[in-house]
Amino acid sequence: MNGKFRNLGSWRALSLPTCPLPADRQRYFYTLSQLYLIATVVYLFDFIPMFWLLGDLRLLVISVTGLGMTLVARELHRRGHMGAGVTLMLITMTAHMLASIGTYGSGLGFELYFALILLVTYISALRQIAKLGISLVVMGLTTYQLMGTPEATVVDRLGGWAPQILLIANLATLGVLFAVILRRLEGVSQRLEVSYRRQAHHDALTGVFNRRAVLHEIELALDNARPFALLMIDIDHFKTINDLYGHKRGDRALCHLVECLRASLRDEDTLGRYGGEEFIAVLHGKSHGEALCAAGRLAMAVRETPYTLERGALNMTISIGVAVNGEAQDIDGLIALADRRLYQAKRDGRDRVCGTDTPAMQGEIPVVLDRAAEEMRAVFEQRAS
């Protein structure tokens, strides 16, 4: 059984690129990879048997050669030479189409392969000038061949069902090839759409919601009028971590923090990066007391899960400010309240949770939200109007 799985793994490896590809070239690779496979199947189970049954030795040899060229083109494609691979395949397809038209004449579907050649050309990674040149050359050759087609063709001499069989076979083959290509393009478009949507709403480094997305989640929670708590979370002495270990290690420490927070939050809770080393957690359905307990668990999880280094470990702590939706009338006031309590937790010694206003905080001027939050509020007000 293990040997079988190893064989399957080796076969699957033959369909993957031999070297990493940039994102813009992955679309071309995976779109055309399926086409090479289908073209191989068509040669093996359609063209070669069909021309063998018709007794056409010339086109049988062309089909076998086309199969070999398709396999070579596929290997070139897999090794990263996508332009050379698709050019070889286009030449093979064009030669096969022209030879078939010259032998069997028009009206049997061979001329329809011109549309397939154009489609493959324009979804390939070739340059625009090359695509235009190939289109003009193939169109000119096809027109010349159609105009020079003899009146009496091989099919006419064979008679019977041969013309209908050839037409049905070509239409079925073209239908399958077009369906595969369009389905692949649809799949690639869907993956790109998901990727772009994720990039628009998620932080590139940590993978959690970005500032705009988490503010939108808070606004939705306020509109639903359901109880929720907002936690403003900040890493203690994060500047010292960057200074001692470097910014790359600091970025990894942020990712480690996110893993700790996610492990302690529920699936229905929302976590977002507000900016720098500051995060926001939205705990849905939590009262003030429950939110304080949850915040304490978050702080303990971070404290008890040090970030492992090559030598030793980096102990991290966080400070948390807690506010619930009943304590403020809008998103500005709620974030300002949680932010003020966060800095009170830092003033009290860090690595702690603050969920109430102390007497020293009563006379403080509320923290003013930064410009990004104010812009977000303006966007929501514009939508509401």
Side-chain angles (χ1 to χ4, degrees):
M1 182 67 70
N2 292 335
K4 290 182 180 180
F5 282 122
R6 281 197 297 268
N7 291 334
L8 287 174
S10 61
W11 276 106
R12 186 176 183 276
L14 293 177
S15 64
L16 299 175
T18 57
C19 55
L21 297 174
D24 59 335
R25 292 181 68 82
Q26 289 181 15
R27 176 169 64 93
Y28 301 116
F29 181 86
Y30 291 108
T31 301
L32 290 176
S33 291
Q34 195 76 14
L35 179 61
Y36 286 111
L37 177 61
I38 295 297
T40 301
V41 173
V42 168
Y43 274 115
L44 283 173
F45 299 102
D46 186 2
F47 288 152
I48 292 177
M50 179 175 63
F51 293 125
W52 178 74
L53 290 173
L54 290 173
D56 193 327
L57 181 60
R58 175 170 169 264
L59 279 169
L60 178 61
V61 172
I62 291 176
S63 298
V64 173
T65 304
L67 173 61
M69 292 297 100
T70 299
L71 295 175
V72 172
R74 180 178 180 275
E75 187 62 21
L76 288 172
H77 179 79
R78 194 173 72 89
R79 293 182 180 275
H81 306 291
M82 299 185 192
V86 75
T87 300
L88 180 59
M89 185 178 184
L90 291 172
I91 292 173
T92 302
M93 293 171 62
T94 303
H96 201 145
M97 178 188 68
L98 296 177
S100 300
I101 294 175
T103 302
Y104 295 99
S106 60
L108 298 179
F110 289 108
E111 63 275 12
L112 299 178
Y113 284 92
F114 172 64
L116 179 63
I117 292 172
L118 283 181
L119 178 60
V120 174
T121 299
Y122 280 94
I123 65 173
S124 69
L126 295 173
R127 295 182 178 180
Q128 292 298 325
I129 187 65
K131 294 178 180 180
L132 179 60
I134 291 173
S135 303
L136 294 176
V137 170
V138 175
M139 183 172 62
L141 290 173
T142 305
T143 303
Y144 174 78
Q145 190 74 325
L146 289 173
M147 292 178 63
T149 300
E151 296 182 0
T153 63
V154 174
V155 174
D156 294 329
R157 292 194 295 270
L158 290 175
W161 289 94
Q164 290 82 356
I165 293 174
L166 278 176
L167 179 59
I168 292 173
N170 284 326
L171 290 176
T173 301
L174 283 166
V176 171
L177 290 173
F178 269 98
V180 169
I181 295 174
L182 294 177
R183 181 65 189 90
R184 293 297 298 178
L185 288 174
E186 181 185 13
V188 170
S189 299
Q190 290 175 349
R191 286 196 297 272
L192 289 174
E193 181 181 353
V194 171
S195 176
Y196 292 150
R197 189 184 301 118
R198 178 173 179 79
Q199 292 176 11
H201 294 87
H202 290 76
D203 178 58
L205 175 64
T206 60
V208 299
F209 279 155
N210 57 24
R211 179 200 297 263
R212 180 178 294 271
V214 75
L215 288 176
H216 182 60
E217 286 293 316
I218 298 172
E219 187 73 18
L220 290 177
L222 285 171
D223 291 342
N224 290 334
R226 295 180 58 188
F228 72 92
L230 188 149
L231 276 56
M232 188 72 74
I233 306 167
D234 189 84
I235 304 179
D236 297 327
H237 303 295
F238 185 70
K239 185 179 183 301
T240 304
I241 296 176
N242 278 332
D243 294 340
L244 291 177
Y245 300 98
H247 288 280
K248 182 177 292 187
R249 185 68 66 185
D251 289 344
R252 293 176 182 174
L254 285 176
C255 296
H256 171 76
L257 170 70
V258 167
E259 292 177 3
C260 294
L261 296 178
R262 278 176 165 171
S264 302
L265 291 171
R266 303 169 301 170
D267 291 338
E268 60 266 32
D269 296 331
T270 301
L271 180 63
R273 187 179 181 186
Y274 190 62
E277 68 273 20
E278 205 168 43
F279 293 83
I280 286 181
V282 182
L283 310 184
H284 298 281
K286 291 287 188 181
S287 64
H288 189 272
E290 293 171 335
L292 289 175
C293 293
R297 288 194 297 270
L298 291 178
M300 183 175 63
V302 175
R303 185 187 314 117
E304 296 181 352
T305 312
Y307 174 47
T308 304
L309 303 172
E310 288 80 0
R311 297 179 181 178
L314 174 62
N315 294 309
M316 299 171 57
T317 62
I318 56 175
S319 299
I320 304 176
V322 179
V324 294
N325 59 329
E327 295 182 290
Q329 297 182 349
D330 54 22
I331 184 173
D332 293 0
L334 191 63
I335 293 179
L337 180 59
D339 195 53
R340 189 166 68 240
R341 290 173 177 175
L342 165 66
Y343 282 97
Q344 182 61 40
K346 287 188 173 292
R347 284 193 292 267
D348 290 342
R350 294 183 171 84
D351 188 20
R352 62 192 63 221
V353 176
C354 178
T356 57
D357 291 341
T358 63
M361 296 169 60
Q362 299 299 326
E364 290 185 356
I365 300 175
V367 178
V368 179
L369 292 177
D370 58 23
R371 184 172 299 175
E374 293 178 356
E375 291 176 354
M376 194 66 189
R377 181 187 180 186
V379 170
F380 289 129
E381 291 178 350
Q382 184 177 4
R383 288 180 179 176
S385 60

